[in-house]
Amino acid sequence: MKLVSIVVPCYNEEEVLPLFYDEIIKVTNQMKQTHSELEFEFLFIDDGSKDKTLEGFRKLADIDERVRFISFSRNFGKEAGMFAGLKNSKGDYVVVMDADLQHPPSFLPEMYEYVKNGDYDCATTRRVSRKGESKIRSWFARKFYSIMNKISQTEIVDGAQDFRFMTRQMVDAILSMNEYNRFSKGIFSWVGFKVKYMEYENVERAAGTTAWSFWGLFKYSLEGIMAFSTAPLAIASLLGIISCVISFICAIIVVFKTVFFGEDVSGFPTIMCAIFLVGGLQLFCMGILGQYLAKAYLETKSRPIYIARETDEIYRNKKSENKSESVK
Ligand code: UDP
Ligand code: MG
């Protein structure tokens, strides 16, 4: 028997949860018919939702014993949700997918075909169009990928998503990276392995709204750059060198003019400009340095990546206790 764990991070997904569950049950049942060796478990992560997502999980756990869940004590972000899911999954294969049906479950059978023979360790989708996304947003996204791939050793494929069908071996490799600042697009690629990219057209969310604002995405992309590249630090040094060279040339010109032509250099504006320029450069570079220091600071604290408040185990135990009490 082969167990497939389906990990689904959810944040305020009460609306799509029932739709998702119906869909995934349909697909997994079909897969069981063609592959009798397959068993499934569904591991939902509630990332501190403010709506009734957790109640939705409890209901699913009541009707389906393969449903497991973890509910966080607050919103820790999707990265933490995925980490918790991978960590608690028991399957020989693990699938990570979004709850909003933007990662169509209908891909699963084909993904399994790629992974099952050991030809690939991971099957994932890559969207070839950014339909349904604003022009500015896709422009920034494309720029991000091109910059990222220039400055980082880790290749990040444009349009690759967090929809993945992975072997246990790859999951364990991912879990062995226990960094606090998790940028999973980088992590998935950093661990290597053989990855099959399946192309597909972007689909819109089934219901609910995305939790990502433009600003949120922008910050996320900076996080990604810092997590997988130290190029900004090199830029800081480079700027320092350039400004040194410029000031050296300026100094020579000034000395030359004074010695040979006896010219006074008109003072105030030049000096102000120079001070502002150098001061600005210094602050900018210190800022970059500070960002990395802040990341290192958070890593050394080694705080937990997530904190669980409720799990299906706690819920099921409580329920059976209540039942036995009422029998008494
Ligand atoms: N998500 C999460 N925690 C968050 C934000 C999002 O677990 O803080 C989940 C969300 O419920 C969904 C997935 O991550 O299942 C992708 O989120 P969303 O659809 O909002 O992002 P998009 O598809 O627009 O990238
Ligand atoms: Mg989505």
Side-chain angles (χ1 to χ4, degrees):
M1 279 305 193
K2 295 271 179 215
L3 180 67
V4 181
S5 304
I6 299 192
V7 168
V8 192
C10 300
Y11 178 56
N12 296 342
E13 301 285 14
E14 63 171 348
E15 272 177 70
V16 285
L17 191 62
L19 304 177
F20 175 81
Y21 181 73
D22 286 349
E23 198 63 30
I24 197 81
I25 289 298
K26 228 192 298 169
V27 173
T28 50
N29 283 349
Q30 271 168 14
M31 282 175 80
K32 269 174 83 102
Q33 276 169 9
T34 43
H35 302 280
S36 53
E37 76 277 14
L38 289 181
E39 295 274 3
F40 290 90
E41 68 165 0
F42 307 102
L43 179 48
F44 292 99
I45 317 293
D46 163 36
D47 187 9
S49 299
K50 296 190 174 61
D51 64 357
K52 297 204 170 65
T53 304
L54 177 57
E55 266 122 90
F57 291 177
R58 290 188 189 129
K59 270 187 213 143
L60 294 180
D62 286 340
I63 57 167
D64 187 344
E65 59 177 20
R66 298 171 303 169
V67 169
R68 296 170 57 210
F69 64 84
I70 301 171
S71 175
F72 288 177
S73 57
R74 64 169 170 85
N75 180 247
F76 279 85
K78 186 185 173 188
E79 299 289 339
M82 288 200 287
F83 178 78
L86 295 181
K87 194 159 178 202
N88 290 282
S89 65
K90 298 178 180 153
D92 304 292
Y93 299 103
V94 182
V95 177
V96 187
M97 63 197 299
D98 287 0
D100 56 10
L101 293 175
Q102 277 187 307
H103 297 164
S106 53
F107 271 89
L108 293 177
E110 202 186 333
M111 285 176 150
Y112 179 59
E113 294 300 325
Y114 285 118
V115 170
K116 123 185 127 168
N117 300 329
D119 296 339
Y120 291 98
D121 305 286
C122 171
T124 182
T125 53
R126 182 176 159 252
R127 54 179 180 183
V128 282
S129 81
R130 292 182 166 269
K131 228 172 27 195
E133 210 180 54
S134 78
K135 283 233 165 60
I136 306 182
R137 203 165 162 151
S138 15
W139 186 83
F140 269 98
R142 274 203 306 275
K143 271 278 157 295
F144 164 72
Y145 285 110
S146 78
I147 292 176
M148 186 76 195
N149 285 325
K150 272 194 197 107
I151 65 177
S152 168
Q153 307 284 314
T154 312
E155 197 204 354
I156 300 202
V157 177
D158 187 359
Q161 294 175 310
D162 300 337
F163 181 16
R164 285 171 188 260
F165 198 122
M166 293 176 282
T167 58
R168 169 63 30 194
Q169 196 189 11
M170 179 156 171
V171 171
D172 286 342
I174 289 168
L175 287 172
S176 71
M177 296 174 77
N178 49 6
E179 54 211 76
Y180 180 77
N181 297 293
R182 298 188 80 75
F183 180 68
S184 55
K185 281 187 199 309
I187 291 178
F188 283 137
S189 141
W190 192 91
V191 293
F193 292 99
K194 296 230 174 317
V195 180
K196 171 73 192 172
Y197 289 98
M198 299 159 65
E199 304 201 336
Y200 98 120
E201 293 273 329
N202 196 26
V203 280
E204 308 240 346
R205 202 172 223 293
T209 47
T210 172
W212 288 100
S213 62
F214 181 76
W215 181 236
L217 275 178
F218 185 69
K219 280 202 298 200
Y220 181 66
S221 59
L222 289 186
E223 296 270 325
I225 290 179
M226 292 219 292
F228 280 89
S229 161
T230 48
L233 287 173
I235 294 175
S237 326
L238 192 72
L239 282 178
I241 293 171
I242 293 174
S243 86
C244 279
V245 170
I246 292 176
S247 66
F248 191 68
I249 294 171
C250 285
I252 291 177
I253 293 174
V254 168
V255 170
F256 186 82
K257 273 187 168 172
T258 322
V259 170
F260 292 96
F261 303 100
E263 259 181 41
D264 286 350
V265 182
S266 84
F268 192 66
T270 354
I271 287 179
M272 285 317 280
C273 289
I275 287 177
F276 277 127
L277 178 73
V278 174
L281 273 179
Q282 274 176 349
L283 283 180
F284 176 70
C285 296
M286 251 163 66
I288 294 178
L289 209 67
Q291 290 293 328
Y292 279 92
L293 194 67
K295 294 283 172 229
Y297 172 64
L298 282 177
E299 291 291 347
T300 54
K301 285 190 177 201
S302 60
R303 288 180 178 161
I305 293 168
Y306 69 93
I307 293 172
R309 185 173 164 274
E310 184 176 327
T311 62
D312 58 294
E313 215 173 319
I314 297 177
Y315 172 68
R316 286 187 166 118
N317 285 345
K318 233 189 240 166
K319 218 172 76 174
S320 61
E321 265 170 35
N322 286 348
K323 228 183 236 164
S324 59
E325 248 166 49
S326 61
V327 170
K328 273 182 214 159

